[in-house]
Amino acid sequence: MLRDSGDALATYWVRREAIKTLRQLDDRALHDIGISRCHIESAVAGTIDQLELVRLR
């Protein structure tokens, strides 16, 4: 149980760091990797719809 909590906390911090890093990129760099600024959190969480990603390109 403690390990599960630790894993969840580690996952949370890794995702927050990824979001922070992506937010520091300019819009052109984000477009180059296939996401828009409004989709950063969804992309990091893995919940972004693939159809949305296709429309961005």
Side-chain angles (χ1 to χ4, degrees):
M1 172 128 60
L2 187 58
R3 181 175 182 185
D4 291 338
S5 296
D7 288 345
L9 186 59
T11 299
Y12 171 80
W13 286 112
V14 167
R15 286 183 177 169
R16 296 309 311 164
E17 190 63 30
I19 290 168
K20 178 181 172 185
T21 300
L22 288 170
R23 284 185 177 157
Q24 292 173 351
L25 298 176
D26 62 16
D27 290 336
R28 182 180 172 123
L30 289 171
H31 185 271
D32 286 347
I33 62 174
I35 60 174
S36 65
R37 191 160 302 283
C38 66
H39 292 109
I40 289 174
E41 291 193 27
S42 298
V44 171
T47 59
I48 192 167
D49 182 11
Q50 291 298 322
L51 185 56
E52 287 182 65
L53 287 176
V54 171
R55 281 186 236 159
L56 291 173
R57 296 183 180 158

